[in-house]
Amino acid sequence: LINLHFLRLYFMLFIVSLKRCLFNLIFFFFLMIRRPPRSTLSSSSAASDVYKRQVSTQSTGEKSRAKMEKLWSAADVAWCEPNYTLVPFVAEPFCTATSLTLVWLGMRGYRHLRANPLPRVCAGLEWRFGFLYKALIGCGLGGVVHHGTMLWIGQVVDELPSLWGTMMLLFAMVATSQRKADNVSTMLVLHTALATGAYLFWGFQYYVGAQALSSLAVVLMVLHACFATQRGLGKDDQTHMKRLMVTALGLLGGGFFLVWLPEHYFCGTHAELMEPLRLHAIFHVLSGFGSYALIQFVQFYSYQRWNLKPTIQYEYGALLASVRPTIQHFKK
């Protein structure tokens, strides 16, 4: 009930804001295309038009060059690791190397997903988790480009997969049936598109805010799923969910509050103390394993809601869990 009320309120606010945005766009569009009638052109007005077209062409070319320069300019944010000191052609070698952890975890999860296919009626469910593992791989590859070059284009390919993956986690937690998936899919796609456009326009500061709010929503829904929707689940299933939840939120929360925030706030004032710690490289490892455990939690929870009777196998505690469906073919 809490989820339904929250979604209804969120959807109403989203529709109202979307209507206002569309109204403003249409209003300004008609203002822009309105042009008063003019009499026959004189020689001076014709020369003036030629000059205006030249200026417009020059300004358009300058804008295009500025956009291209922005792609290959320095990133909006710098991390607490000296650039091009250990390896002459890699900006941040430790952060670049630890980004490969996300690539390996994403490939591992995707391989297990493909090895344990779902029934055809659950093709959309399988696609969600395939997208999540691909987003994890994309985030790792983007991290390699970002920390290897410290260019803005690398920052984009690093942060956008993370934002999209968080949105898909939110969708997977809400859409626990086909009916719910149909109801919220369009809204979430529009929200993700708007968030992506806003990130490309405003940059890193907007990314932090959007990612923080989306992550908070995912955490609240994980807690709600773990403690408020346990009816009908056996003790073993409840234990699995709590174990995955503690692992995922512990790694992600510890990485953010104990590693990412101290580096972000104290690197500028205490660089001589923070740089040898390589905190951002440690954050990559913690966030990678935490994200993998969180995907496993959502996967186990979704399989339960879709009556697939999942089983789980642990390796190295709950760091490398593997969720498998017991039912792979529904009876007609």
Side-chain angles (χ1 to χ4, degrees), residues 80-311:
C80 211
E81 182 178 349
N83 293 348
Y84 300 104
T85 55
L86 185 62
V87 181
F89 52 86
V90 179
E92 296 178 346
F94 286 96
C95 290
T96 303
T98 52
S99 296
L100 295 174
T101 304
L102 283 75
V103 178
W104 174 69
L105 289 171
M107 294 178 62
R108 184 182 189 276
Y110 187 75
R111 185 176 67 252
H112 280 282
L113 180 67
R114 298 292 294 175
N116 299 274
L118 300 180
R120 291 185 178 180
V121 294
C122 301
L125 184 65
E126 185 173 349
W127 180 87
R128 299 175 198 175
F129 295 105
F131 181 91
L132 285 171
Y133 290 123
K134 291 176 183 178
L136 193 60
I137 295 172
C139 189
L141 294 176
V144 172
V145 178
H146 172 43
H147 295 286
T149 62
M150 290 306 295
L151 296 177
W152 186 78
I153 189 173
Q155 181 181 342
V156 171
V157 297
D158 177 23
E159 293 171 349
L160 277 184
S162 176
L163 183 62
W164 295 341
T166 305
M167 297 298 181
M168 180 56 73
L169 280 173
L170 187 61
F171 174 74
M173 288 297 300
V174 175
T176 54
S177 66
Q178 189 60 46
R179 180 177 60 84
K180 293 180 179 179
D182 295 337
N183 291 337
V184 302
S185 58
T186 303
M187 178 187 69
L188 206 61
V189 168
L190 289 174
H191 179 71
T192 304
L194 291 174
T196 302
Y199 164 73
L200 294 175
F201 185 78
W202 282 297
F204 179 75
Q205 297 301 324
Y206 178 84
Y207 166 78
V208 173
Q211 185 74 314
L213 292 176
S214 303
S215 300
L216 179 60
V218 172
V219 169
L220 292 176
M221 298 202 70
V222 166
L223 293 174
H224 180 265
C226 198
F227 294 106
T229 60
Q230 295 284 336
R231 296 178 182 178
L233 297 181
K235 292 184 178 179
D236 291 340
D237 292 337
Q238 296 180 19
T239 302
H240 290 321
M241 290 182 64
K242 291 179 180 178
R243 187 175 183 182
L244 290 173
M245 180 204 68
V246 171
T247 303
L249 299 187
L251 289 172
L252 291 172
F256 179 73
F257 290 107
L258 301 180
V259 178
W260 193 90
L261 282 181
E263 180 203 22
H264 186 69
Y265 284 104
F266 297 116
C267 183
T269 57
H270 301 83
E272 67 282 356
L273 297 177
M274 305 299 292
E275 286 181 354
L277 298 179
R278 305 290 191 264
L279 290 182
H280 200 72
I282 299 173
F283 172 73
H284 282 172
V285 178
L286 295 177
S287 63
F289 280 98
S291 299
Y292 181 83
L294 185 59
I295 296 174
Q296 295 298 315
F297 173 89
V298 178
Q299 193 171 351
F300 187 86
Y301 174 73
S302 299
Y303 285 7
Q304 284 286 357
R305 289 297 171 183
W306 286 70
N307 297 318
L308 295 174
K309 297 182 179 179
T311 59

